[in-house]
Amino acid sequence: MALPTAQPSIHSTTTTARPAQSLARRLLFPNHSGDLPPLLTAPNVPPELQAELYDFIALALRAYVSPWWTKLTRYDKEFLPQIARTLTAVIRALESRVLALDLSALVFHHTPTILTQHYHDYRNAASKLSSSYATGGAASLPQLFHHLQPHIALSADGKIDLEYYRQIVDHILKACLPPEDYAPDVERVIVREVIVKVLVDDVIPKVTQPWFIQKAILDVLASDEEERLFKAPEPPSQPTSTMFSFHTFIVVVLSALQSFSSTCLALIHAYKQAINTIKLVNQSPPHTPRSTSPPPQPPTNDNETEPTQSKPPSTPPTPSTASSLSYYSRSAFPQTPTVLTQHDSLNYASSPLRLFSEIFLTSERLAATSLINLLGMISASMTSFLDKLLPHLLYTTLSPGFILNLVRLSKRTMFPNGYPGPPLIEPTAEEQMALREKLVGWRGSGALSHLAPLLLGADPRNTLGAAIDPLTCQPCNIHLVVILLDRILVGLFPELVGSTGTGTTLATGTTVLNSEHTADSGHDGNAAPRAISVGGTTVGAAGGAGIT
C-alpha cells in the first residue's frame, strides 16, 4: 500500500514564499531582475523618490491605458513596459533641462514681472469699459485686455489655438523621445494629440476658473488657521479670587518667569538659526544652472549694453538656436550678469516688491506707500546678500524631500484607493460667492494681523476685493497662464526661440518690464514700467506671440 504524500508544513510554506513585488515591477518590468533603472540621474536623489515616481507612473498607466488596451488585445503584455521605457528616457531628458534652467530668474524676476503686467493691463482695460476706447461700450473686457496683450495662440474671447500647442508639443517630443519612438508618424501624432487635449481642454480651463484660483489661495492662507483649529482646546480658566494669598503670588511669579524664559529661548534659537543661515549663504557659491554642455552665448556683442536699441523696432534681431533663458534675463535687465560678482547684483527682491505694490495698490495709501518704500530701501541696502539668500531659500525648499512629499501628495490625491478618485465638482454660484466673501474677509493672524491695517488701509474688504478682481475673468486668466507657460517652455527648450532651420519660431510675447524709470519721462515711481525688447521680440503693452 502506497504511503500518503506528506503535506508541506506551515513553516516550510512561509519560508519559501516569495516577497510581494511592487506594482511598478509587476506591471512595468515583469521580466526585469535586479534594481529598476533609475528615473532621475541626479546624485542626491533618494531611492524613495524613485520608487514613488515608478508607483505613480504604474498607477496612471493602469488607470488610463490598461482599460482600453486590454479591449484591443488581451494577451499583449509588452505595451506597458514599452511605455515605461519610453517614459524613463523622457523623464531623464526633462531632468537635464530642468537642471539647466535658471530657477532663480524664473521665480524672482520673470514670474513676478508677468503677474505685475497682468494686474496693470487688467485694470487698464477695466477702466476703459463703457468709454470711447471700447467703441462706445461695445467691446468687452476680454477684448480690451486682448488688445493690450495680443497672443497668436489666443483669440479675443480667450479661445486657444490648438495648432500652436501642436507645434510646441511636437518639438518637445522630438527633443525628448528616442529617435526610434519619434520616427513613426502615427504614434507621434497620437501622443501629441493626447497631450494637447489634456493641456488645452482639461488643465488650462480648470486652473483658470476664478473659483479654482480663489480656493487655491484660501487653501494656502488657511493652512495655519486649520492647524490651530484642530488643536486641543485650552482648559477653562479658574475664577480668580479677590483675596491675596502667598500661593497666588508664587504662581504669578513663576508663570512670568516661565514666559520670560520661553521668550528668551525662542529669541536665542532664532538668533542662532539666523547666524547659521547667514554663514551658509555667504559661504555657498552662486546657484547657477547645472548643464553638461557649455553655456550658450547670445548672438550679440558683449560690449554693447543695449543691443536691441541699435535697430529699428520694425526689424528686431532674431536670436539663433543657441539662445537661452539667461539671454532673456540679460536682455530684460541690462545690468544683470550671468555670474554674480562683487560689484554686480541681480536684485531679486525688486520684482516681488513691485508685484506686491501692484496687487494691493499701495500707492493709493500713505502708510502702505511708506512701508513699501522702507522695504525697498532695506532691500536695496542688502541687495548683494538677498541675491544669495533668496536662491538659497529657493533651492533649499525644492529639496528632494520636498519633491518626495509632493509626489506622495499627488498620488494620494489622484489615486486615493489605487484608482482615480471622483472628478472635482464645480461649486455652485452661491458657493463661489461664499469663497470670495471668505477670501475678502481674511485678516491674517499673528504679526500679520497687526500689519494688515497699514497694508490694507481703512477698508480692508475694498482693498482685498480690488486685489482679487484681476483674477476673476477667465479669458484674462487664460492669457496669464499661456504667457507663464510660454516662459517656462522657453526656459526648458530655448531652441524654440528663433529655430530658423526648422521653420518653428516661438515668440514668447511675455511682457517684461523695465525696473528703471527716467526722471524726465513724466512718470513717478508708481507708474507702470516701460516695455522693452526681449530676445529680439518687442514686448510690453503691445507684445505678441506666435509660431511662424
Side-chain angles (χ1 to χ4, degrees):
M1 184 176 63
L3 295 177
T5 305
Q7 298 294 330
S9 63
I10 299 178
H11 177 72
S12 62
T13 304
T14 54
T15 54
T16 58
R18 298 178 61 184
Q21 295 181 347
S22 63
L23 177 64
R25 183 177 293 275
R26 290 186 286 107
L27 194 63
L28 307 181
F29 301 94
N31 301 323
H32 183 81
S33 60
D35 296 335
L36 298 181
L39 276 172
L40 305 177
T41 58
N44 59 341
V45 176
E48 295 83 3
L49 180 57
Q50 306 273 9
E52 291 292 339
L53 286 174
Y54 267 125
D55 197 19
F56 184 86
I57 293 174
L59 290 173
L61 294 181
R62 185 178 67 176
Y64 299 113
V65 176
S66 293
W68 59 267
W69 181 250
T70 54
K71 294 180 181 179
L72 298 178
T73 171
R74 186 183 305 175
Y75 304 103
D76 187 1
K77 304 298 182 181
E78 295 298 326
F79 185 62
L80 294 184
Q82 180 62 32
I83 294 179
R85 285 190 290 269
T86 305
L87 284 177
T88 301
V90 171
I91 292 175
R92 289 176 182 174
L94 290 177
E95 181 196 12
S96 63
R97 292 179 177 270
V98 170
L99 294 178
L101 177 64
D102 191 355
L103 286 177
S104 300
L106 177 64
V107 173
F108 299 115
H109 271 320
H110 299 136
T111 300
T113 300
I114 294 170
L115 288 171
T116 302
Q117 191 66 36
H118 174 82
Y119 270 78
H120 179 266
D121 288 343
Y122 179 90
R123 287 164 177 162
N124 191 9
S127 64
K128 294 179 180 179
L129 287 175
S130 303
S131 66
S132 59
Y133 291 99
T135 62
S140 61
L141 177 62
Q143 292 173 344
L144 293 174
F145 186 86
H146 180 75
H147 288 303
L148 295 176
Q149 291 190 9
H151 197 290
I152 197 173
L154 296 170
S155 62
D157 55 353
K159 300 296 183 181
I160 302 177
D161 185 10
L162 295 179
E163 189 61 29
Y164 181 82
Y165 283 106
R166 285 194 182 105
Q167 297 293 330
I168 295 177
V169 172
D170 190 75
H171 176 83
I172 294 174
L173 293 177
K174 183 178 180 180
C176 296
L177 285 176
E180 62 273 10
D181 292 324
Y182 179 80
D185 293 337
V186 177
E187 296 180 9
R188 185 177 72 253
V189 169
I190 291 176
V191 174
R192 184 190 68 187
E193 293 301 319
V194 169
I195 296 176
V196 171
K197 190 266 178 185
V198 171
L199 178 66
V200 176
D201 295 341
D202 298 334
V203 176
I204 294 181
K206 181 65 68 177
V207 300
T208 54
Q209 290 284 350
W211 64 265
F212 184 88
I213 299 176
Q214 295 172 12
K215 187 176 184 302
I217 297 174
L218 278 175
D219 291 341
V220 174
L221 296 178
S223 58
D224 295 336
E225 297 180 1
E226 290 179 357
E227 290 178 1
R228 292 193 303 271
L229 182 64
F230 288 102
K231 285 184 178 179
E234 297 181 356
S237 58
Q238 299 294 333
T240 57
S241 176
T242 57
M243 297 180 59
F244 175 79
S245 64
F246 183 75
H247 176 73
T248 304
F249 176 75
I250 293 298
V251 170
V252 171
V253 171
L254 292 178
S255 299
L257 290 175
Q258 183 182 7
S259 301
F260 179 74
S261 61
S262 300
T263 303
C264 292
L265 289 175
L267 291 176
I268 293 173
H269 177 72
Y271 174 77
K272 290 183 178 180
Q273 190 70 22
I275 294 298
N276 186 28
T277 303
I278 292 174
K279 289 181 179 180
L280 289 176
V281 170
N282 289 330
Q283 295 174 0
S284 62
H287 291 278
T288 56
R290 289 173 286 179
S291 178
T292 55
S293 59
Q297 299 295 330
T300 58
N301 189 0
D302 293 337
N303 297 325
E304 298 178 0
T305 55
E306 293 182 2
T308 57
Q309 301 297 329
S310 61
K311 295 186 179 181
S314 58
T315 58
T318 303
S320 63
T321 308
S323 301
S324 65
L325 188 60
S326 61
Y327 174 54
Y328 281 94
S329 179
R330 294 172 63 181
S331 302
F333 306 92
Q335 301 297 327
T336 301
T338 304
V339 180
L340 187 63
T341 62
Q342 182 179 1
H343 303 286
D344 296 321
S345 62
L346 298 170
N347 202 7
Y348 282 141
S350 61
S351 296
L353 282 177
R354 196 180 308 119
L355 172 62
F356 184 85
S357 178
E358 180 68 29
I359 290 177
F360 295 101
L361 296 173
T362 58
S363 60
E364 299 180 356
R365 297 178 299 277
L366 178 60
T369 303
S370 302
L371 183 59
I372 291 297
N373 291 336
L374 178 61
L375 293 176
M377 290 186 292
I378 294 175
S379 64
S381 63
M382 303 171 57
T383 300
S384 59
F385 175 72
L386 290 178
D387 288 342
K388 292 184 178 181
L389 175 63
L390 293 179
H392 173 77
L393 296 177
L394 175 64
Y395 284 94
T396 302
T397 302
L398 298 178
S399 60
F402 172 80
I403 300 177
L404 176 60
N405 293 332
L406 185 62
V407 173
R408 288 175 175 173
L409 179 62
S410 302
K411 188 176 69 172
R412 290 195 300 266
T413 303
M414 297 182 61
F415 308 101
N417 299 318
Y419 291 91
L424 184 63
I425 301 176
E426 183 174 351
T428 61
E430 292 78 8
E431 293 173 344
Q432 296 180 21
M433 292 180 61
L435 284 175
R436 178 183 173 85
E437 289 299 322
K438 187 176 180 181
L439 188 57
V440 170
W442 181 81
R443 294 297 179 268
S445 60
L448 187 59
S449 61
H450 299 288
L451 293 176
L454 296 177
L455 296 174
L456 304 180
D459 190 1
R461 293 182 61 86
N462 187 24
T463 304
L464 290 177
I468 299 172
D469 286 339
L471 301 176
T472 56
C473 179
Q474 187 181 16
C476 299
N477 295 338
I478 291 177
H479 277 76
L480 175 62
V481 171
V482 167
I483 292 177
L484 285 173
L485 187 58
D486 280 353
R487 175 55 64 191
I488 296 173
L489 290 175
V490 167
L492 294 175
F493 302 91
E495 63 271 15
L496 283 172
V497 182
S499 55
T500 56
T502 59
T504 301
T505 301
L506 173 63
T508 59
T510 303
T511 306
V512 179
L513 309 181
N514 194 346
S515 59
E516 299 178 356
H517 304 273
T518 56
D520 56 349
S521 62
H523 297 283
D524 55 7
N526 297 319
R530 295 180 284 111
I532 62 174
S533 179
V534 177
T537 303
T538 302
V539 296
I547 292 181
T548 59

